Amino acid sequence: MPEPVGNTALAKLALRDQVLASRKRRPLTEVGEAAREIAAHLLADHEVRRAATVACYVSVGTEPGTTELLDLLVAEGKRVVLPVLLPDNDLDWAVYHGPTSLAPAGRGLLEPMSPRLGPDAVATADVVLLPGLAVSTSGRRLGRGGGSYDRALGRVPVGTFTCVLLYADEVDRDVPTEPHDRPVTAAATPDGITRFG
């Protein structure tokens, strides 16, 4: 029998708090090393190698870093699109043209200054790399709770490689789910790429 939605929301909140507390304790050297290892695994992956367009994001704080990954993707000739947070928590998208093409935005985020492509632009990506806090063995991802990426994933065609970037201890977690939660097909950690389903 499924849990009532209220209990699921509370369980998500508890898991979010636990993961965020763990991330705050990570040394910056570990965060940097993890970012380099994740980038190496993704750039070696066949799905990413053959992709023309990659949707990604600019990491903040102690999230697994994407700064080096973004620049390496561009150096590989990929078209990289990044999210622009809209007032209703939906995501618009814009092309990344290097670190100088980013500007500070709300909530401590950096967003591209290039022309907006519209919320449906994520559907043009061959690979979608997204943030998260944990993922289950079936690919159920725990985000920060705004629903932005669940909406974006709802626009992504079935069969697209959707991968959450995490630390190794955030994979194979018991992630509470609600009907609007969208699964991902993989998780990238410093240990490698885990595929689901």
Side-chain angles (χ1 to χ4, degrees):
M1 183 163 131
E3 279 189 308
V5 172
N7 290 345
T8 301
L10 288 174
K12 282 183 170 183
L13 184 61
L15 183 55
R16 272 189 201 102
D17 288 347
Q18 179 187 8
V19 173
L20 289 170
S22 175
R23 283 186 176 183
K24 282 182 185 176
R25 292 190 298 270
R26 286 186 193 280
L28 289 179
T29 53
E30 181 186 335
V31 173
E33 185 178 319
R36 287 186 291 281
E37 291 170 349
I38 290 170
H41 291 306
L42 286 168
L43 291 167
D45 185 80
H46 69 280
E47 300 270 10
V48 177
R49 279 200 322 269
R50 71 180 191 186
T53 298
V54 177
C56 196
Y57 63 99
V58 180
S59 58
V60 295
T62 55
E63 286 182 329
T66 61
T67 305
E68 185 176 337
L69 173 63
L70 292 172
D71 292 334
L72 290 170
L73 288 168
V74 170
E76 292 279 327
K78 312 292 183 198
R79 176 178 176 255
V80 177
V81 296
L82 299 177
V84 176
L85 186 65
L86 297 173
D88 66 353
N89 277 348
D90 205 349
L91 299 175
D92 200 335
W93 298 86
V95 177
Y96 175 69
H97 296 290
T100 59
S101 71
L102 299 174
R107 301 184 190 180
L109 301 173
L110 290 174
E111 295 178 342
M113 295 181 286
S114 51
R116 305 243 179 121
L117 304 171
D120 290 333
V122 70
T124 67
D126 305 298
V127 165
V128 179
L129 306 176
L130 59 155
L133 295 173
V135 71
S136 72
T137 55
S138 62
R140 294 293 177 178
R141 173 190 150 273
L142 178 71
R144 294 221 177 219
S148 302
Y149 280 94
D150 286 316
R151 281 192 254 181
L153 287 171
R155 298 180 179 107
V156 174
V158 173
T160 302
F161 182 66
T162 56
C163 182
V164 60
L165 279 56
L166 299 169
Y167 296 102
D169 60 352
E170 297 166 353
V171 177
D172 296 340
R173 300 294 293 267
D174 184 14
V175 175
T177 59
E178 296 176 272
H180 66 269
D181 293 329
R182 301 284 181 152
V184 293
T185 59
T189 73
D191 293 347
I193 296 175
T194 302
R195 285 177 162 75
F196 307 111

